[in-house]
Each structure stands twice: as C-alpha cells, then as structure tokens.
Amino acid sequence: MGKILVFTEYSHGHLKRSAQELLTAARSSGQTVAALAVGSQSATITEELKKYGAQEIHLLKDAQFDQYNPELFTAAICDVVQKSQATAILASASSTGKDLFPRVGARLNSGVLSDCTELRFSGDNIEVTRPLFSGKCFAKATFDISPVKIVLMRANQLPVSESPAASTQTTEHSFSKPDLKTVIKEIVRGTSEKLDLTEANIIVSGGRGLKEAANFKLLNDLADVLGATVGASRAVVDAGWCSHGMQVGQTGKTVAPSLYIAVGVSGAIQHVAGMSGSKVIVAINNDPNAPIFQKATYGIVGDLFDVVPKLTEEFKKVMK
Amino acid sequence: MKIFVCIKQVPDTETKIKISSDNQSIDSTGVKWVMNPYDEYAVEEAIKLKESKPGAQVHAITLGPKARAGEVLRTALAMGADEGILIDAPASLDSTATAKALAAAITKEGDASLVFTGKLAIDDNQSAVSQMIAEFLNIPHTTVVSKFTYGPEAITVERDIEGGAKEVVQMVAPAVVGANKGLNMPRYASLPGIMKAKKKVLKEYSLEALGVSADNKTKTLSLSLPADKPAVKLLSGDSQQQVTALVQLLRDEAKVL
Ligand SMILES: Cc1cc2nc3c(=O)[nH]c(=O)nc-3n(C[C@H](O)[C@H](O)[C@H](O)COP(=O)(O)OP(=O)(O)OC[C@H]3O[C@@H](n4cnc5c(N)ncnc54)[C@H](O)[C@@H]3O)c2cc1C
C-alpha cells in the first residue's frame, strides 16, 4: 500500500485551508497519510494535523526552514521522502509549492502534475483534472511509471472535514545545512494584509471602466465589507493604477474564488482565461454587449459609479 | 559569456481551443503559433545582458515538433539572439522529459553562464520546466523573477511571491532565472532583424542525439472543454432594486455569502 506525504503549509500557528483540503483528500485514498511541516513553529500545528487524520507527522523543526530556499528544501524533502518511503506527495500549488516540487520531482526522477483542480485516487495511482490554456480546456491526467507521484493542488477546490487518526507517530528529522548557492537576502512585504488572489474566497476586480487609479477606493471599500481581495485587469496594471501582483488573467494570476465581482472589466478572452473557474461571477458594466456578460452568473447593466457604492451599503446590511 | 534562453511555441492567447478526435491533444488546424508570452521577457533579459557584456552570445533553445517549432527561434533571432537550437520532439513530452532534454542540450553546448526561461508556459500551465532544468544541471534557480541584476560575485533577482511580497535572492552563476511579467518590456523585432533571422541556419538535435528518452512520467487521459455556463441573469429595475436583488440572490440562491 502506498503512503501519501502531504506538505502542509501554515501561518500564525494554524494550518492553511489548502493543507486541510489536502489532508482530507489524502484520507480518502485508503493509503497511509503522512504530514510534513517545516520551520521552527511546525510543532505548534501537530494537534491540527492529527485532527485532519495524519497517521505520521514528519517535522523539520530547524530554524533554517523558516525561510524558503529551493536548494535547501529540495534536499531536505527528498531526504524525508526517502526515510518515510512515501510513494506520493500532495502539496498546494502556492508560490512555494510550485517552485519547490518540480525540483523535488526532477531529483526523484518523478512526474509532477501542477495546478490541479480535481483529484481522484484509483488504486495506487492518482488521477487529476488540470486546466490547460488558462482554463480554456481541461485535461484528465495520471502518472505513468513514476517512483513518486507528485500532485500540486490549487487552493479552494476540495472539501475539508476533520477525522482524527487512531494513532499518530511523530518524527523529528534533523538535516545539516548543505552548501547552498542560493541565499534569500530579504523579503519585501507587500502592502496588502489580505489573502493572496489565488487563495481568496471572494475577489472584487476592477478594469478600465474605473477611469482612474483613485477610483479603486470604491472597490477597496466593497472588498473590505466582503473580506475580499481586490484584483485588476491587465489594462489597468499596464496603466500603472495597480501592481502586477493584482492582475488576473492569462499573463496574470489564475483564480477560482467562490465569488468574483468584475467591475468595469470588458471580459477580454485573456482576462476570462484567468477567472472562468470562479463558482459565481457577477458583472457590473454599462455596456450590455460587453463579453463579460457571457461568462457571468449575474449581471447589472449600469454605471459602476452609481452601482458600486449602493452595493457596498447593501452588503453591509447582510454581512453583519 | 554564453547565455541560454529556453522558449516554447504556444497557441496565440486569442486562440479558440478545439479538441482533436483522439481526445488527447488540441486540434491545431488554424492555430496561430506565437512565443509563450513569459518567454518574451526571458529573451529580452538575455539580450539586455548580452548587450552589457562584450563578446556575450545568446543561444535560444526550443523543444517541439520540427514541422513548426523552428519559427519561434526565428522570432528570438529577430529580436537579437545569436543562435537558434531546435530539439525535435513530440509536443506530448511531459515536464520531466522536456527539462531533461533541454538540460542535455545545454550541457552539450557547454559553458552556460546563465539560463533564462519564462516562469510558465501558458499552454500546459505546469510552471515546472525551469526548476527541473536547474535540477538536472545541478545549478540554482529562481522563478517568477521581476528584477534581475548581474554582478561579478553573484546575480541578484527579485521573486514575486504571495500577497504582493517580493523575495530578494542572490545566486551564484550559472543559474536558471524564470521570467515574470514586469521584468522588462520585450522589444519588437526590427525589419532587418527579421530578414537576417530568416537566413540563419538552425542547429538541430534529436532526442537520441541528446541521449534522452521520450518516456513520460505522466500521461494525459483525455481533454475536455469547460461546460457551457447557463445564460447570465440580468437584474432589472433601478440601480437600488438591482443591487438589492443581487445581494439576495448571492445569499439565498448562489449561497456564496
Ligand atoms: C498576450 C496578451 C495577454 C494578455 N493578458 C491579459 C491578462 O492576463 N489579464 C487581462 O485582464 N488582460 C490581458 N490582456 C489584455 C486584454 O486583451 C484586454 O485588453 C484587457 O483585459 C482589457 O482590460 P479592461 O477590461 O479593464 O479594459 P476595457 O476592455 O477597456 O474595458 C473597460 C470596460 O469598462 C466598461 N465601463 C466603462 N465605463 C464604465 C462605467 N462608468 N460603469 C461600468 N462600466 C464601465 C466598458 O463598457 C468596458 O467594458 C492580454 C492581452 C494580450 C494580447
């Protein structure tokens, strides 16, 4: 029987939702569920790991793991994979996951399926669904002969439920620092305390219809009420109104929130490519022929400067 | 100084995707092929670096079917790359096999000072090949790079991470750098550049010549198009009525609040 090693990300002492999703999914496989957490705070989440069904917990507690370094993490994780004899790895398609696990896969001479939106276990193999061409097409894919099967899941795609394992064995691994050719000098914090677009459950996105940068305040106010993250079209990023980290679309971020509110966005094919996986799409646009209405679940044809402030007030009433 | 840049030919972003009858690949009739948008940033950065280092050369490499993939090398040559190298291989190669072949070609060419790639190919959406090339070459990598500085001791890059934050990373060259949007403004090919590029002879490798097998670790079972969305529900009345109706629908019908 196989063993699935789940790379569990956490912040502020709690498992990220993506990690809860991955553990819940791993449990459904009938295989051994092993969780890996790294960093000096990793021991603080072992209780949560147990709640989500980890039968084995592997910790890399050394403070050198507080900061992501691709070379260091690749070496240490391959070591844990070998010691734990894991046959599969599940991780989030986060900044870290997407950077790290392809390298781990190459070192283990294994296959990697990245940015998956669905996951099924069939015997010892794993089948996934992944968007291609920025969501214009979906592939069902699986592993051929691959020593370790590595799957990177997009956040907010899978259900979560708790179900503690009968017993859990915890192992602390030590790892001596290898010679590294990569040094992380500094982290420049972003201006936003909000969830990243790729993790957000609600996104309010603005386009050229907002007329100027200052008018994004309308969207920030709306987003504050909803606990949403603000996104943008490429047109406004290129105009310098918003940072590139906010761009949604083919050359920006691919997002899949429960609710995506597009305000003054025309719905160009490259924009839609990045958000068509959203569960519910609301379009607010004064042009009834704007292509965004072809993708939207609900639409308001109207002037955003009139509609958005009213919408913010209306949400305030129900979001209490 | 030898600078490599790995590029991929992908369908233009406007392409309407159709699936071919084998259900495993896209129907490429009528597809307009272009350079993967992120690779344009990689090519631009490679050429900028070359322009600042007398004697430096940019070698553009692509892997893909010979029948079409050479065209993307001509684009890179027209922008200012010095040499185009084509690895003739089926489009169905997975990330691991692709990276092995690209790394093998770079090793064969020898003396890489730096390898640029795009952070992601917009067709297969894997964002894996850059890191895998680095692993197979046993050199460091940073992906999602929006700033690059070459120094005698180390190269310094900025990597975009979640929440608008950036990591400032130093690497000892040679290294792989995966380009993000924001790194630079890719130049347009000049007319003389395009004419010159047409005449250049491309270097060619087969997978056999590189000693790499076409064995994939992953396989595609089937492709499908997204399900058609039901028609939009347009809300009626004045703006206050529309807004009230919308919030109610989001709460009671869609249940997303
Ligand atoms: C290779 C390539 C990659 C690209 N990648 C991306 C990408 O990743 N993301 C992306 O977004 N785009 C991308 N684009 C650009 C894309 O083609 C569009 O140009 C862009 O999305 C348009 O942005 P927009 O909707 O904000 O602007 P516009 O198309 O100008 O739309 C503005 C909308 O606002 C509406 N409007 C105006 N005033 C009001 C008002 N008062 N009230 C309500 N509505 C109003 C208008 O009716 C219009 O529909 C890419 C293009 C290319 C060629």
Side-chain angles (χ1 to χ4, degrees), chain A residues 106-181:
Chain A
R107 186 160 307 178
L108 298 172
N109 193 27
S110 293
V112 178
L113 291 167
S114 180
D115 208 22
C116 304
T117 53
E118 288 174 27
L119 173 74
R120 293 165 295 276
F121 296 92
S122 63
D124 257 1
N125 211 337
I126 307 177
E127 262 179 48
V128 302
T129 303
R130 15 186 341 266
L132 304 183
F133 306 96
S134 315
K136 285 190 238 172
C137 167
F138 289 87
K140 283 200 167 62
T142 190
F143 293 89
D144 227 323
I145 299 158
S146 181
V148 182
K149 303 171 183 73
I150 304 178
V151 173
L152 306 180
M153 283 295 301
R154 220 183 250 185
N156 291 329
Q157 303 295 316
L158 301 171
V160 301
S161 65
E162 295 180 9
S163 172
S167 68
T168 303
Q169 195 189 353
T170 302
T171 314
E172 288 183 17
H173 297 266
S174 59
F175 191 78
S176 49
K177 202 181 187 117
D179 267 347
L180 297 174
K181 291 184 182 142

Side-chain angles (χ1 to χ4, degrees), chain B residues 137-218:
Chain B
L137 292 174
N138 194 22
I139 60 176
H141 80 262
T142 307
T143 59
V144 205
V145 168
S146 58
K147 193 170 174 203
F148 171 87
T149 327
Y150 189 89
E153 300 297 324
I155 50 185
T156 308
V157 298
E158 282 183 20
R159 159 174 157 80
D160 298 335
I161 54 172
E162 271 125 9
K166 286 175 188 294
E167 285 174 359
V168 182
V169 184
Q170 271 189 0
M171 296 183 288
V172 180
V176 176
V177 173
N180 194 14
K181 181 170 185 259
L183 181 60
N184 52 44
M185 281 289 284
R187 68 193 68 194
Y188 291 104
S190 65
L191 200 57
I194 295 171
M195 300 314 289
K196 240 169 79 188
K198 276 195 179 143
K199 291 196 211 101
K200 282 201 183 145
V201 181
L202 302 177
K203 199 173 207 174
E204 237 183 79
Y205 287 116
S206 63
L207 290 178
E208 299 76 56
L210 294 171
V212 175
S213 86
D215 287 351
N216 286 331
K217 303 288 176 195
T218 62

Side-chain angles (χ1 to χ4, degrees), chain B residues 21-239:
Chain B
S21 51
D22 68 1
N23 232 3
Q24 308 232 326
S25 56
I26 62 155
D27 179 354
S28 56
T29 33
V31 168
K32 183 179 159 214
W33 297 95
V34 298
M35 188 186 294
N36 177 44
Y38 293 106
D39 301 349
E40 293 182 6
Y41 304 112
V43 173
E44 175 63 30
E45 204 61 25
I47 295 170
K48 268 172 62 182
L49 178 60
K50 158 191 141 154
E51 286 168 345
S52 71
K53 303 277 165 217
Q57 296 255 301
V58 173
H59 306 261
I61 308 189
T62 195
L63 177 147
K66 190 176 163 179
R68 61 166 164 84
E71 209 44 48
V72 76
L73 293 174
R74 305 254 174 233
T75 309
L77 290 168
M79 286 171 76
D82 300 284
E83 189 187 36
I85 303 164
L86 172 74
I87 305 172
D88 181 24
S92 57
L93 232 54
D94 75 1
S95 304
T96 311
T98 301
K100 267 185 200 166
L102 288 165
I106 291 168
T107 305
K108 198 149 205 149
E109 293 290 315
D111 299 325
S113 301
L114 215 64
V115 180
F116 287 99
T117 67
K119 71 155 183 190
L120 163 82
I122 60 163
D123 56 352
D124 72 6
N125 192 37
Q126 275 272 90
S127 48
V129 168
S130 324
Q131 304 90 303
M132 288 177 161
I133 292 172
E135 176 60 26
F136 290 128
L137 292 174
N138 194 22
I139 60 176
H141 80 262
T142 307
T143 59
V144 205
V145 168
S146 58
K147 193 170 174 203
F148 171 87
T149 327
Y150 189 89
E153 300 297 324
I155 50 185
T156 308
V157 298
E158 282 183 20
R159 159 174 157 80
D160 298 335
I161 54 172
E162 271 125 9
K166 286 175 188 294
E167 285 174 359
V168 182
V169 184
Q170 271 189 0
M171 296 183 288
V172 180
V176 176
V177 173
N180 194 14
K181 181 170 185 259
L183 181 60
N184 52 44
M185 281 289 284
R187 68 193 68 194
Y188 291 104
S190 65
L191 200 57
I194 295 171
M195 300 314 289
K196 240 169 79 188
K198 276 195 179 143
K199 291 196 211 101
K200 282 201 183 145
V201 181
L202 302 177
K203 199 173 207 174
E204 237 183 79
Y205 287 116
S206 63
L207 290 178
E208 299 76 56
L210 294 171
V212 175
S213 86
D215 287 351
N216 286 331
K217 303 288 176 195
T218 62
K219 66 175 174 219
T220 303
L221 297 168
S222 64
L223 298 184
S224 62
L225 297 175
D228 279 339
K229 287 229 168 197
V232 58
K233 255 188 207 170
L234 287 181
L235 303 165
S236 56
D238 66 27
S239 61

Side-chain angles (χ1 to χ4, degrees), chain A residues 156 195-197 199-203 227-229 256-260, chain B residues 256:
Chain A
N156 291 329
L195 276 179
D196 191 71
L197 282 173
E199 292 177 278
N201 199 37
I202 302 182
I203 292 173
T229 302
S258 301
L259 174 59
Y260 187 95
Chain B
V256 288

